[in-house]
Amino acid sequence: MFTADDAILAALLVPVLGAIGIALAHRWPNLREGITLTTAVALLACVLNILPSVLAGARPTATLFSVLPGLEIAFEVEPLGMLFALVASGLWIVNSIYSIGYMRGNNEAHQTRFFVCFALALTATMGIAFSGNLFTLFLFYEVLTLITYPLVTHHGTEKARQGGRVYLGLLMGTSVLFLLPALVFIWYLTGTTDFTAGGILAGRLGPAGLMGLLALCMFGIGKAALMPFHKWLPAAMVAPTPVSALLHAVAVVKAGVFSVVKVIVYIFGLDTLGVNGTTDWLILLAGFTIVSASVVALGADNLKRRLAYSTISQLSYVVMAAALLAPLSVVGATLHIAAHALGKITLFFAAGAIYTAAHKTEVSQLDGIGRRMPWTMGAFAIGALSMIGLPPAAGFVSKWYMLSGAMASEQWLAVGVIALSTLLNAGYFLPIIYRAFFVAPAHDEHDHPHGEAPLPMVIALTATAAGTVLLFFVPDVPLALAKQMLGLGG
């Protein structure tokens, strides 16, 4: 009988086997891409096999081996990891469909290497999602950085290599300089790094020690893009759009904010941190990142750059909400992992479709484009509504919980940040929608008309836009997992 415990190992193994199959099928593009899609579907099936057990309160486990006493490569699926795995595995299918249209539509080189690295990145993502302790999470976190580096530098140009150096340097540098010492110190203090309900540090450190250790962890998780360690994210925009979608929606940044929430909830514990203003500095820093990144996005004409700084801002919503330590805000942070994933992947899909069909990269070039690409820009509008936090898009639900938690705990600075950033989000997204649908196209658009991008790309972006709306109306599973993580009823 195939159990939930078995499904954990299968979820780690399936993408590896898929990567091998993709590499072997490099001479036959249709077969290669068929293997990609089949692998993605198989991974989602493994993840869905685990979901009923987790919703019922079980914690499926699997242990590979012990490195040292208290340091094991082990897996345990709890509600937060379950949600992350669902998001990543579900969106891999859609991203694979999109990637096929994009890579063929733009005649990209090295397509086999691209799909192989994509599959291996999902293995690393599953390892992070299902990690049973901080040591296992750290190992797969590093693997994800290394395996996505060839994707960032895919084009092989000097600009791509420079972007890759910034990407690798910042992500590896922060994790080795900050997160690794924090991991060793936690193990030294407690004899374990296991993720435990309520945390493992109660009574181990005073407020100053907790604050210092928390700072090491938060800055060490560079994928969360807290300032000043955020520049890897816009630097990585040299990658093909499907990679940007992977970095910003499916795996890399989600691994960052997932790790932030997991460390706060399961290593430190909300009660342990909720003394003497231990997280006040983190609320301030996340709030600063939210507002300042939004201001940069407001002035960016390049569409992918605008979306990159939007991502930096949105990630710090999760960090700030987790740092508030209020149950409602932590539920909002957890929901935003899913809401942002669906909304932001839709926006990047739309940006790639615009580039593929119309070869436009700047916001100032988008006048009237919605008339020729209505499906693409309609989907973009839905993704933008989710980022702003307006109904009927999923971002409204997560932002509502964050705001409710901030108000309930009387964190008025956080309330102000959410309100101001919502206005800034509207300021840099709504003009794009207005240009696309209500401004007449440039003269050369009449001379050289274009239509939608290749069908696989349109199917993918329509699916993620629909998912963004669906999650607004039916947030039951993510909400149930978020509440179960905190032991909340209802």
Side-chain angles (χ1 to χ4, degrees):
M1 182 180 175
F2 189 69
T3 65
D5 293 356
D6 298 328
I8 295 173
L9 297 179
L12 295 167
L13 187 59
V14 161
V16 175
L17 295 177
I20 294 170
I22 291 164
L24 293 175
H26 68 98
R27 296 176 183 270
W28 304 279
N30 289 340
L31 177 60
R32 176 191 67 205
E33 289 155 10
I35 293 171
T36 295
L37 290 172
T38 302
T39 305
V41 172
L43 176 61
L44 179 60
C46 291
V47 172
L48 289 174
N49 187 276
I50 303 171
L51 178 60
S53 297
V54 176
L55 287 174
R59 298 290 179 266
T61 59
T63 300
L64 294 186
F65 55 86
S66 177
V67 178
L68 289 169
L71 286 181
E72 295 178 322
I73 298 180
F75 307 96
E76 180 178 10
V77 187
E78 44 70 49
L80 180 62
M82 187 73 253
L83 178 61
F84 182 31
L86 282 171
V87 169
S89 60
L91 290 182
W92 187 28
I93 298 174
V94 187
N95 206 355
S96 296
I97 295 169
Y98 181 90
S99 297
I100 291 166
Y102 182 94
M103 300 301 281
R104 290 192 176 192
N106 289 285
N107 296 312
E108 292 279 355
H110 309 299
Q111 293 188 27
T112 298
R113 183 183 69 193
F114 172 90
F115 286 110
V116 166
C117 289
F118 234 102
L120 294 176
L122 264 294
T123 291
T125 303
M126 291 301 108
I128 293 169
F130 295 154
S131 57
N133 55 59
L134 188 56
F135 177 63
T136 303
L137 186 149
F138 178 83
L139 292 179
F140 281 96
Y141 181 100
E142 297 300 272
V143 170
L144 181 61
T145 301
L146 294 171
I147 207 64
T148 49
Y149 172 76
L151 292 170
V152 174
T153 59
H154 178 83
H155 288 137
T157 62
E158 178 54 35
K159 186 177 180 181
R161 288 192 291 271
Q162 174 61 28
R165 285 193 291 270
V166 174
Y167 178 81
L168 195 62
L170 274 175
L171 292 187
M172 292 293 290
T174 51
S175 61
V176 171
L177 288 175
F178 303 128
L179 187 57
L180 182 57
L183 165 66
V184 172
F185 187 59
I186 290 167
W187 178 55
Y188 169 76
L189 275 180
T190 67
T192 182
T193 65
D194 287 354
F195 293 122
T196 305
I200 58 175
L201 292 173
R204 302 279 184 175
L205 290 169
L210 280 173
M211 193 179 300
L213 187 57
L214 181 65
L216 283 177
C217 290
M218 295 301 101
F219 288 125
I221 303 171
K223 290 182 175 72
L226 270 174
M227 291 184 174
F229 302 111
H230 66 288
K231 292 188 177 179
W232 65 269
L233 212 155
M237 290 298 93
V238 295
T241 299
V243 177
S244 299
L246 172 78
L247 298 177
H248 290 255
V250 181
V252 177
V253 298
K254 290 302 169 298
V257 290
F258 163 82
S259 299
V260 165
V261 177
K262 193 148 185 172
V263 165
I264 286 176
V265 173
Y266 291 115
I267 294 294
F268 287 88
L270 301 186
D271 292 338
T272 302
L273 287 176
V275 293
N276 300 314
T278 306
T279 61
D280 287 354
W281 69 272
L282 185 56
I283 295 169
L284 285 169
L285 180 59
F288 174 78
T289 302
I290 291 169
V291 174
S292 55
S294 297
V295 171
V296 175
L298 195 63
D301 190 40
N302 182 272
L303 182 56
K304 284 181 71 175
R305 180 175 171 83
R306 185 173 293 196
L307 295 181
Y309 274 92
S310 167
T311 297
I312 294 168
S313 176
Q314 295 286 331
L315 294 178
S316 278
Y317 274 123
V318 177
V319 177
M320 184 177 73
L324 292 175
L325 306 178
L328 282 177
S329 68
V330 179
V331 168
T334 306
L335 288 176
H336 204 60
I337 291 174
H340 178 261
L342 283 164
K344 188 51 63 72
I345 201 171
T346 302
L347 293 171
F348 272 103
F349 280 176
I354 292 166
Y355 174 77
T356 302
H359 303 291
K360 298 182 186 300
T361 58
E362 311 301 306
V363 173
S364 56
Q365 300 171 336
L366 300 183
D367 292 352
I369 199 166
R371 306 177 189 186
R372 300 189 183 278
M373 303 180 70
W375 285 94
T376 295
M377 294 312 299
F380 185 97
I382 292 171
L385 289 178
S386 190
M387 295 301 97
I388 297 168
L390 296 175
F396 173 80
V397 180
S398 55
K399 190 172 282 190
W400 177 268
Y401 274 94
M402 292 184 211
L403 193 57
S404 299
M407 294 178 73
S409 56
E410 299 184 349
Q411 292 279 3
W412 303 116
L413 175 66
V415 172
V417 166
I418 293 171
L420 176 58
S421 64
T422 297
L423 294 175
L424 291 170
N425 291 342
Y428 62 74
F429 277 125
L430 294 183
I432 299 175
I433 300 169
Y434 179 80
R435 277 181 175 273
F437 289 105
F438 301 108
V439 176
H443 179 70
D444 64 342
E445 285 290 305
H446 297 293
D447 299 332
H448 305 286
H450 58 80
E452 294 281 2
L455 184 61
M457 299 174 72
V458 177
I459 290 172
L461 61 88
T462 303
T464 54
T468 300
V469 175
L470 182 64
L471 190 59
F472 169 80
F473 288 106
V474 191
D476 302 35
V477 171
L479 190 56
L481 290 170
K483 289 184 175 182
Q484 189 187 95
M485 176 184 71
L486 297 172
L488 301 176

